[in-house]
Structures are given as structure tokens and as C-alpha cells.
Amino acid sequence: MITMACHCTGCQKMTSSAFSLSSLFPNAAFSIVSGEPVIGGLHGSTRHYFCKHCMSWLFTRPEGMDDFVNVRSTMLEDSRTYKPFIETYTDEKLDWATTGAAHSFCKFPPQDEFPELLQEYADKQG
């Protein structure tokens, strides 16, 4: 549905990098086909799931968005095609971190802007 880079300090810590990269999918389009992920990283109402074996961060089920799942884009085949379209929490980003995202937000995009962002992203994907 859309690709995002998050610069929050929590994502920086969980990735041991400058930001996390994720792709939003409808929950109905997502399934776990092997293994049993475990909750890890930051513990709270947003649930972050990791591989039990290697502890890689796999996906997130955001609080209050039960119909969606954020999959770490680098876990997907052909991950080079998942360039960030929006970046969030730019008020916490490392000064040198750049993503090339088309839209930047200090926190999250305002809810009323999200449908337009989704449509713009869909139009660009063709």
C-alpha cells in the first residue's frame, strides 16, 4: 500500500541503524508460512515481531490499526524496489540520514492526508 522510513529513536535502536524501512500491507494479504515469530524490541501496545531463531525484526502490528501490518521491506524479495515514499519522525532523525522519500513528516502523517498519500503512491506504482 505504501513504503515508509521511520527515523524515531525506537526504530533506530531496533534496527541498529539510522531508520527502519517498512511496507504497509492489508492484514488479509499477509500470512506467516513458517515458524513462530516472537514479540521483541520495544514492548507496548504496538507489537514488533522478530524471528525466534535469528532475532531479525520481521514485522509490526501497529496499535489501533488491526487491519494492517508493517513488514520490514528488506525481508521481501527484490527489496531494492521498496524505496521509501514517506518518512516519519524526521524530528528524531540523524542529521546525515537521507532516504529520498517524496514526503517527510515530523511525526506521522495527519490521518486526513493518509488516503491521498496512499493514492499518490498507488499511482506511482502504475
Side-chain angles (χ1 to χ4, degrees), residues 1-3 10 12 36 38 41 50-51 78 110 122-123:
M1 296 177 66
I2 200 165
T3 54
Q12 290 174 26
E36 185 73 29
V38 296
F50 291 73
C51 171
D78 200 15
D123 291 346

Side-chain angles (χ1 to χ4, degrees), residues 17-112:
S17 188
F19 56 85
S20 69
L21 181 63
S22 62
S23 297
L24 183 68
F25 289 93
N27 197 43
F30 177 79
S31 64
I32 299 167
V33 296
S34 178
E36 185 73 29
V38 296
I39 292 178
L42 303 174
H43 294 266
S45 50
T46 291
R47 298 156 327 263
H48 305 285
Y49 290 86
F50 291 73
C51 171
K52 189 189 307 188
H53 177 72
C54 70
M55 298 310 291
S56 292
W57 185 14
L58 303 172
F59 63 95
T60 296
R61 295 198 181 273
E63 175 187 13
M65 296 178 62
D66 293 338
D67 294 335
F68 303 98
V69 61
N70 276 332
V71 179
R72 302 284 76 74
S73 302
T74 52
M75 296 293 170
L76 301 169
E77 290 183 24
D78 200 15
S79 61
R80 291 177 183 248
T81 63
Y82 293 90
K83 297 176 183 172
F85 183 68
I86 65 172
E87 59 183 347
T88 60
Y89 279 82
T90 58
D91 60 342
E92 296 180 20
K93 82 183 209 92
L94 301 173
D95 291 341
W96 51 264
T98 59
T99 67
H103 301 278
S104 298
F105 301 93
C106 290
K107 297 292 184 200
F108 286 115
Q111 288 288 53
D112 62 331

